[in-house]
Amino acid sequence: STKSQSALPILGAMAVTDLSTLLAEMSPSLGVEGEVVFATSKSLSMRQAAELDPWMLFREEEGLTLILPKDVAEKHDLAHEGPFCRITLMVHSSLEAVGLTAAV
């Protein structure tokens, strides 16, 4: 039997590499958290930034970049770009798959 790739990935399941299959079987879902932004800070420590509960936090030469709700960035006076909305494709894509982001 063939398992549908539209369900959430299951640990150990085979990731799909074929672009046509990925596009046919994805089931995009808009995030419910509302608007998010990319915020940057040169003054926050990693610990302080983590306390803001960002979706993503990474260190770059320019400082820290956080992806977090727009209202949180504004509350803490963080410079930011956006707003954006999160989309989950609901397909188990391989890291070796080529072209999915460009096609979406």
Side-chain angles (χ1 to χ4, degrees):
S1 83
T2 304
K3 182 187 176 309
S4 170
Q5 296 295 320
S6 63
L8 285 174
I10 297 173
L11 190 60
M14 291 295 294
V16 178
T17 58
D18 179 66
L19 180 59
S20 296
T21 302
L22 289 169
L23 293 173
E25 295 189 0
M26 71 179 179
S27 179
S29 173
L30 190 59
V32 297
E33 65 278 348
E35 296 180 330
V36 296
V37 296
F38 283 73
T40 57
S41 175
K42 291 183 179 185
S43 62
L44 288 176
S45 70
M46 288 291 279
R47 184 178 310 255
Q48 290 168 324
E51 289 174 0
L52 299 178
D53 196 25
W55 278 93
M56 178 72 69
L57 168 61
F58 47 101
R59 185 185 328 231
E60 300 180 283
E61 289 183 20
E62 304 86 2
L64 296 178
T65 297
L66 303 86
I67 302 174
L68 72 170
K70 181 180 177 182
D71 60 332
V72 174
E74 291 176 345
K75 177 180 175 184
H76 294 278
D77 295 320
L78 296 173
H80 61 276
E81 293 186 25
F84 304 97
C85 291
R86 183 177 57 85
I87 300 172
T88 301
L89 298 180
M90 303 295 287
V91 66
H92 191 176
S93 60
S94 169
L95 292 176
E96 296 174 2
V98 177
L100 180 59
T101 302
V104 172

